[in-house]
Amino acid sequence: MSEIVVAKAPATQAPAGRWRVARAVALKEWTELRRDSRLAWLFGLVFLLMLGALAFGAAQHMRLDRERAAAAATDRALWTGQGAKNPHAAAHFGQYAFKPQSPLALADPGVDAYVGEAVWLEAHKQNEAQFRAARDAGVGARLGGLSFAFVLQTIMPLVAVLLGFAGFAGERERGTLRQLMSLGASPVDILAGKALAALGALSVLLIPAFAAAVLATLFLADHDFSVADQLERLLALSFGYGLYLAGFVFLALGVSAFAKSTRTALVLLLAFWLANCFLAPRVMTDVAKRVATLPTALEFRNAIAEDKKKTFGHDESHPAFVAFRDGVLAQYGVSRIEDLPVNFRGLALRKDDENGFVIFDKHFGALQAAFDAQDRLRAAPGFLFPALAMQPFSTSFSGTDSWHQYDFATAAEAHRRRIQTAASEDLIHNARYGDASYVASRDMWERIPSFDYAAPAVSFALSHARGDLVALALWAVLTAALAGFAARRLRPL
């Protein structure tokens, strides 16, 4: 091991002196890292993994974008090519709303593969998203796919552990810790220098990788997503991952200061790494499922059906229909439906849709609230097991969490309602009651635009990730405090 010469200083050093000591320690650590060929190979492998994950994500993104554009063009041609048709029949024919993929999905695909990519917009019914990519995946997909987020959340903490586990324990075993401290370097100064070296080494990997992510995001961004917004999201992701990995550096150095040997430090840190990256997410997912239960698909649809029974639908004998009919007649001051100046069937269809809007908002909103309760419960121990906070933080700012999916589904439903209202309004003002031969022309279908989704801004992600950000900050602070406490307990042997 290379020697370091630090001028002997008084017990209480000025800040400038402390910085010189920390910098000298950091430079010594950097020299040793450069000389260790094993670390060079490890860094090279991890860097290639990150670039490979980004390249794979970008290729997937471009393929899905081409498929979505082709499907949207085909759906539009089918919609406008219906020909003359009754507006209500056209509403049943429906359109598809296709979800544009966030550029940052190339880094963290999140829930996108499991929630569906398109929503069929049909009359009287709000549908869930369809065409889940996970359904077409092989058995190997259950093991998870390689993504930039996976490398950052799982592989990079392991690198941080390997950089820091021998920080103090190794110095103690070699007898150099006593030399450093006898020359006037305080344990906290040594901790600061070793932390700077480890964080600098991680930055050598992360800065080029995030630069590549920026270039890929700029290349893939389109009119559906603001480039400035995507860059702000990337900046937030950089900050979050910085807290996440800094915590592992401090944890490794703190455990190394406590442990009696490098072997003990490594075993303890690997045990925590396994618990954080694999065990805790699985356990907390199961706990969340049991505590905040979700309805089954059948229960969910049955609950909607029960509420819809309270409205009249197409049942003209339903008490709610009779009350609505009598109210319309009274409003227009006539005694017969045939005497109304507008088409009563169009009015009834519009009213039935409005009743359905309330029901769908109630049930789909409650379902999303249940998803959110599960997510919050799962992430609750995130300040102790930071992967539980890092995963939702990453998907939130990548635009691939359940809240971004819900925003898309809400926008798709709003478009479905515009179609329904347009169809009913056309019947109300242009058709005659009892005349089943009325049809609208192609012009009407062309006046109804295709679904166009405006993705929410970075503030939307922040509003749902504040708790995760607090947990990550607390994780970094707690591990730094642990490392500081452990370092102060060190005594020269």
Side-chain angles (χ1 to χ4, degrees):
M1 174 181 167
S2 61
E3 293 290 336
I4 177 172
V5 178
V6 181
K8 190 162 186 175
T12 303
Q13 300 183 52
R18 299 183 71 96
W19 165 245
R20 283 195 296 270
V21 172
R23 185 176 61 180
V25 173
L27 289 174
K28 184 268 294 185
E29 294 291 320
W30 262 102
T31 301
E32 291 185 351
L33 290 175
R34 287 198 305 270
R35 292 174 178 173
D36 193 336
S37 60
R38 294 170 299 178
L39 282 176
W41 279 103
L42 174 64
F43 273 44
L45 177 61
V46 173
F47 186 68
L48 288 176
L49 275 176
M50 286 193 287
L51 290 185
L54 284 172
F56 177 75
Q60 285 282 88
H61 190 285
M62 289 187 287
R63 179 183 64 82
L64 291 173
D65 263 2
R66 288 194 301 269
E67 292 176 357
R68 181 178 68 87
T74 301
D75 185 67
R76 182 63 181 175
L78 290 171
W79 172 258
T80 57
Q82 293 181 86
K85 184 183 286 186
N86 183 281
H88 188 62
H92 275 286
F93 182 80
Q95 291 183 9
Y96 270 100
F98 295 94
K99 181 185 179 182
Q101 198 178 26
S102 164
L104 288 175
L106 69 92
D108 192 342
V111 302
D112 279 4
Y114 305 95
V115 294
E117 302 169 1
V119 178
W120 183 30
L121 312 177
E122 62 172 322
H124 311 311
K125 186 177 180 182
Q126 180 174 350
N127 292 307
E128 297 92 352
Q130 305 174 28
F131 310 122
R132 296 170 175 85
R135 287 183 174 177
D136 300 323
V139 176
R142 296 177 185 174
L143 301 176
L146 177 66
S147 68
F148 189 48
F150 175 81
V151 176
L152 291 177
Q153 293 169 18
T154 306
I155 306 300
M156 288 300 289
L158 182 58
V159 174
V161 165
L162 295 177
L163 287 173
F165 81 96
F168 286 101
E171 299 275 12
R172 186 188 296 113
E173 289 175 349
R174 292 188 295 267
T176 52
L177 180 62
R178 179 173 55 184
Q179 294 177 18
L180 286 171
M181 296 177 68
S182 66
L183 292 171
S186 75
V188 175
D189 296 336
I190 299 172
L191 170 66
K194 289 181 177 291
L196 281 173
L199 292 172
L202 292 177
S203 299
V204 169
L205 285 173
L206 293 175
I207 291 175
F210 270 97
V214 169
L215 293 176
T217 300
L218 293 175
F219 177 75
L220 294 172
D222 55 26
H223 72 280
D224 295 313
F225 298 90
S226 161
V227 172
D229 179 76
Q230 294 300 300
L231 293 178
E232 288 175 357
R233 287 170 178 265
L234 258 176
L235 185 62
L237 286 171
S238 302
F239 181 70
Y241 277 110
L243 292 174
Y244 179 67
L245 295 175
F248 275 96
V249 168
F250 285 120
L251 178 68
L253 292 172
V255 170
S256 182
F258 275 119
K260 295 182 179 180
S261 68
T262 54
R263 180 176 296 179
T264 301
L266 183 59
V267 169
L268 291 174
L269 289 166
L270 287 179
F272 179 82
W273 174 76
L274 287 169
N276 173 73
C277 296
F278 300 101
L279 183 60
R282 180 63 188 177
V283 170
M284 289 308 300
T285 296
D286 290 341
V287 169
K289 285 181 179 179
R290 290 180 178 275
V291 175
T293 57
L294 295 174
T296 65
L298 181 60
E299 290 170 343
F300 180 70
R301 281 296 168 192
N302 284 343
I304 292 176
E306 286 298 316
D307 277 354
K308 293 201 77 174
K309 286 179 182 178
K310 301 172 185 177
T311 65
F312 53 80
H314 295 303
D315 182 6
E316 297 188 1
S317 64
H318 196 285
F321 181 88
V322 175
F324 172 72
R325 181 196 61 197
D326 292 345
V328 170
L329 294 176
Q331 177 185 350
Y332 285 94
V334 296
S335 58
R336 297 190 317 152
I337 289 176
E338 292 81 356
D339 297 331
L340 287 170
V342 291
N343 183 276
F344 178 74
R345 183 167 184 269
L347 292 173
L349 289 171
R350 186 176 66 183
K351 179 61 177 177
D352 179 47
D353 281 329
E354 290 171 351
N355 291 337
F357 298 162
V358 176
I359 293 170
F360 293 135
D361 286 345
K362 169 188 171 183
H363 289 278
F364 279 90
L367 183 64
Q368 179 57 32
F371 284 140
D372 188 43
Q374 283 193 347
D375 290 342
R376 283 187 279 106
L377 181 59
R378 183 181 184 275
F383 65 98
L384 294 176
F385 297 99
L388 297 174
M390 191 67 248
Q391 289 169 0
F393 183 89
S394 179
T395 57
S396 182
F397 281 96
S398 296
T400 56
D401 65 342
S402 66
W403 276 108
H404 281 79
Q405 178 68 17
Y406 182 66
D407 185 78
F408 158 72
T410 302
E413 173 62 8
H415 188 69
R416 184 187 77 86
R417 295 177 183 185
R418 285 193 290 270
I419 296 172
Q420 297 303 116
T421 301
S424 296
E425 291 291 337
D426 186 81
L427 284 173
I428 290 170
H429 299 292
N430 298 317
R432 296 179 61 186
Y433 184 75
D435 181 8
S437 64
Y438 172 73
V439 294
S441 67
R442 177 189 175 102
D443 291 343
M444 180 180 175
W445 323 137
E446 292 179 342
R447 286 197 304 271
I448 296 176
S450 298
F451 174 69
D452 187 23
Y453 177 60
V458 65
S459 56
F460 178 85
L462 180 60
S463 67
H464 296 292
R466 283 198 185 98
D468 303 318
L469 179 59
V470 169
L472 290 171
L474 188 56
W475 152 255
V477 169
L478 288 175
T479 51
L482 172 69
F485 175 73
R488 288 188 178 91
R489 291 179 68 253
L490 289 173
R491 296 292 182 270
L493 299 177

